[in-house]
Amino acid sequence: MTRRAYLLIGIYILLGVPWATLGQSSRASEVNPSPPQNLNGLVQEAIARNPEILAARHAIAASRARIPQAGAWPDPTVSLSYGGNALPPFTVMRADPSSARQVMAEQMVPYPGKARLRTEIASRDADAETLANEAVERRVAAEVKQDYFDLTYVGQSLALLQKDREALEGFEKVTEARYSVGKAAQQDVLRAQLEVTQLLQRAVLLNQQRRTLQAQINTLRAAPLDASVSTPATVQPSPFSYSQSQLEAAATANYPVLKQRQTMVDQSRLSVDLARKETRPDFSVGYLYMQRDGLPDMYGITLSTSLPLFHRRKQDMAVAEAAANLESAREMHANELIMLRNQVQQEFLEVQATEQLLTLYAQGIRPQSSLTLESSINSYQTGAVDFLTMLSNFQAIVDAELNHDMQVASHEKALARLEELTGLNLIQEGDIGHE
């Protein structure tokens, strides 16, 4: 049994509340009797069913299908033509060399290297889509974990407020009894009733928040919005031993958005090469067959090429455009790296701050507030302190418990965001369990 449980029992005994009442109210205070759902299971379910992730996977398939298209030559053309003085079409006048039927096939051949560059550009685009999908999967996983820890905190808060309400109701009974014999002021009774009402108000808001968080998790895993998501009674902060430099190195090597920016730089560099290749002319090769009546059939081969007469306004500008896009991609990559390092630092500082606060709550605030409340209860029994002083001390221990659980949730949420940035496994699900 925890120190807090002993303290609550002591409150009931000191205030004269029957032990049987404590046992009954404690059983009634259970807000989450069902077994908690596995966090990793929720994450895997979200990754398998989330519509945004599924859309990103289809985008990958589409981009992969564009690769062979990009390197393919244009379709050949076939034409059928007729010339002559005869009225009926496609008829040849006898012994008239001016009338003829002809068939021509033509194939455009890109300048050497263009098809290869287009294929490589399409391949880089597919790589970028793959990295975008990985980024979406990591973000969804981090969102599920953050909502899960918020939901756990809400469940812990509801359970705590239920126990605190039982204690306040005990205070209320005692003050009513003392007021009935003239040992307490009416304002003590009213204040105790007010505190109970305020706890009920907080419980209403927390229940609303719990439903909202459940809906968010269910949205991420494509489940019915009202589907139940059960959480554990306690969460211990995951051990953390990474330095900021280690986290930055992992994020630089593993963050998919940063790698996607680098892929876009590579793609833009290839686009510059292709734009320069576009200044070289393409070729067309054709084959001609001509049929004439009473005369030998004729055959011919055609060879044509484009003339970049307007290269200053077209091809040269395309090179300038591709070069500008390359510089833009490089700057976006540099900016992404700066933002990534800043995000890693912020989350690292968040983890450090929560760990320091948790130590402070464990070693200072929680035991001190418990001792202060015990002392004020004893003093209230003897009339050394008034009811408001004892109530204030009670509120202090309630706030200490709530703030401690909130810091645990904040610690795990910061680790979830660091997991998204670095690709490391930082959250130990073994530290999530029943009380």
Side-chain angles (χ1 to χ4, degrees):
M1 187 178 293
T2 63
R3 177 181 178 82
R4 174 171 181 76
Y6 282 116
L7 179 59
L8 287 175
I9 293 173
I11 292 173
Y12 273 81
I13 294 175
L14 289 171
L15 296 181
V17 180
W19 175 267
T21 303
L22 175 62
Q24 295 170 1
S25 58
S26 297
R27 286 190 295 271
S29 67
E30 294 179 358
V31 297
N32 190 18
S34 59
Q37 290 176 261
N38 181 274
L39 175 57
N40 288 334
L42 290 173
V43 170
Q44 293 304 317
E45 188 177 1
I47 291 176
R49 299 170 54 183
N50 182 267
E52 186 178 0
I53 294 177
L54 296 179
R57 291 173 182 170
H58 289 303
I60 294 174
S63 63
R64 292 294 177 193
R66 286 194 293 268
I67 296 176
Q69 299 178 55
W73 286 7
D75 292 333
T77 60
V78 177
S79 60
L80 176 64
S81 61
Y82 163 76
N85 296 318
L87 264 177
F90 301 106
T91 61
V92 179
M93 294 183 67
R94 187 178 304 276
D96 183 3
S98 67
S99 64
R101 290 187 290 254
Q102 64 181 17
V103 178
M104 183 177 180
E106 191 174 19
Q107 172 67 59
M108 196 277 282
V109 181
Y111 189 86
K114 288 185 179 180
R116 175 185 58 82
L117 286 171
R118 292 191 183 105
T119 300
E120 291 182 5
I121 290 172
S123 179
R124 295 297 187 280
D125 185 65
D127 292 340
E129 291 290 350
T130 301
L131 291 168
N133 173 71
E134 183 182 350
V136 172
E137 288 185 359
R138 286 200 193 180
R139 176 173 55 79
V140 169
E143 289 177 359
V144 170
K145 292 179 180 180
Q146 292 179 82
D147 290 341
Y148 185 83
F149 288 117
D150 278 335
L151 184 61
T152 301
Y153 167 67
V154 169
Q156 292 173 318
S157 300
L158 285 169
L160 179 63
L161 290 181
Q162 176 66 24
K163 295 176 182 178
D164 293 334
R165 191 186 76 176
E166 295 165 5
L168 280 174
E169 288 172 347
F171 286 153
E172 181 183 356
K173 292 178 182 179
V174 171
T175 52
E176 288 176 350
R178 291 169 64 89
Y179 172 69
S180 63
V181 295
K183 293 184 178 181
Q186 186 181 18
Q187 66 175 7
D188 293 349
V189 178
L190 297 176
R191 184 56 186 271
Q193 293 173 346
L194 175 62
E195 291 299 322
V196 172
T197 304
Q198 288 179 337
L199 284 184
L200 292 174
Q201 178 189 18
R202 294 172 70 176
V204 170
L205 296 176
L206 286 171
N207 274 308
Q208 178 185 0
Q209 186 178 359
R210 178 169 62 179
R211 289 192 295 269
T212 299
L213 290 168
Q214 286 180 340
Q216 290 176 187
I217 294 175
N218 289 329
T219 299
L220 291 170
R221 65 190 184 114
L225 294 181
D226 56 353
S228 176
V229 179
S230 56
T231 56
T234 60
V235 174
Q236 298 298 325
S238 300
F240 181 78
S241 59
Y242 287 91
S243 65
Q244 182 176 339
S245 60
Q246 289 175 320
L247 293 172
E248 287 184 359
T252 303
N254 300 324
Y255 189 45
V257 177
L258 183 64
K259 292 194 288 186
Q260 183 185 24
R261 294 298 186 191
Q262 181 59 53
T263 301
M264 299 305 293
V265 171
D266 297 337
Q267 185 187 46
S268 298
R269 188 180 296 109
L270 292 170
S271 297
V272 172
D273 295 339
L274 178 60
R276 289 172 179 162
K277 284 281 186 182
E278 293 292 353
T279 61
R280 308 295 177 85
D282 297 326
F283 303 93
S284 292
V285 179
Y287 176 79
L288 173 66
Y289 168 72
M290 180 181 296
Q291 184 186 55
R292 299 176 297 174
D293 186 73
L295 296 172
D297 293 344
M298 295 182 64
Y299 306 89
I301 296 177
T302 63
L303 179 63
S304 60
T305 183
S306 59
L307 296 177
L309 298 179
F310 308 104
H311 66 90
R312 292 184 182 277
R313 297 178 59 186
K314 188 176 180 181
Q315 285 87 353
D316 291 353
M317 289 297 99
V319 172
E321 177 188 0
N325 286 334
L326 174 59
E327 293 305 315
S328 175
R330 285 171 174 166
E331 293 300 331
M332 292 179 69
H333 176 270
N335 181 67
E336 190 67 44
L337 180 59
I338 293 172
M339 293 178 61
L340 176 61
R341 288 172 175 169
N342 178 65
Q343 286 179 288
V344 170
Q345 182 186 47
Q346 295 303 314
E347 302 305 337
F348 176 74
L349 294 176
E350 175 76 8
V351 172
Q352 280 193 323
T354 53
E355 288 182 344
Q356 293 172 359
L357 288 172
L358 287 172
T359 301
L360 184 62
Y361 278 112
Q363 299 180 0
I365 296 178
R366 294 172 73 184
Q368 291 170 3
S369 57
S370 298
L371 292 173
T372 302
L373 179 59
E374 291 178 8
S375 176
S376 63
I377 291 175
N378 293 328
S379 299
Y380 178 70
Q381 293 294 314
T382 61
V385 298
D386 57 15
F387 177 76
L388 292 180
T389 300
M390 182 183 65
L391 188 60
S392 176
N393 293 331
F394 178 78
Q395 292 171 335
I397 192 173
V398 173
D399 292 339
E401 294 286 350
L402 291 174
N403 289 335
H404 173 270
D405 293 342
M406 181 178 64
Q407 293 304 323
V408 173
S410 297
H411 182 272
E412 300 305 291
K413 288 165 58 181
L415 292 184
R417 293 189 292 269
L418 280 175
E419 285 186 341
E420 177 187 1
L421 299 174
T422 64
L424 301 172
N425 294 321
L426 303 175
I427 296 176
Q428 303 291 331
E429 192 164 4
D431 296 317
I432 306 173
H434 290 292
E435 189 169 24

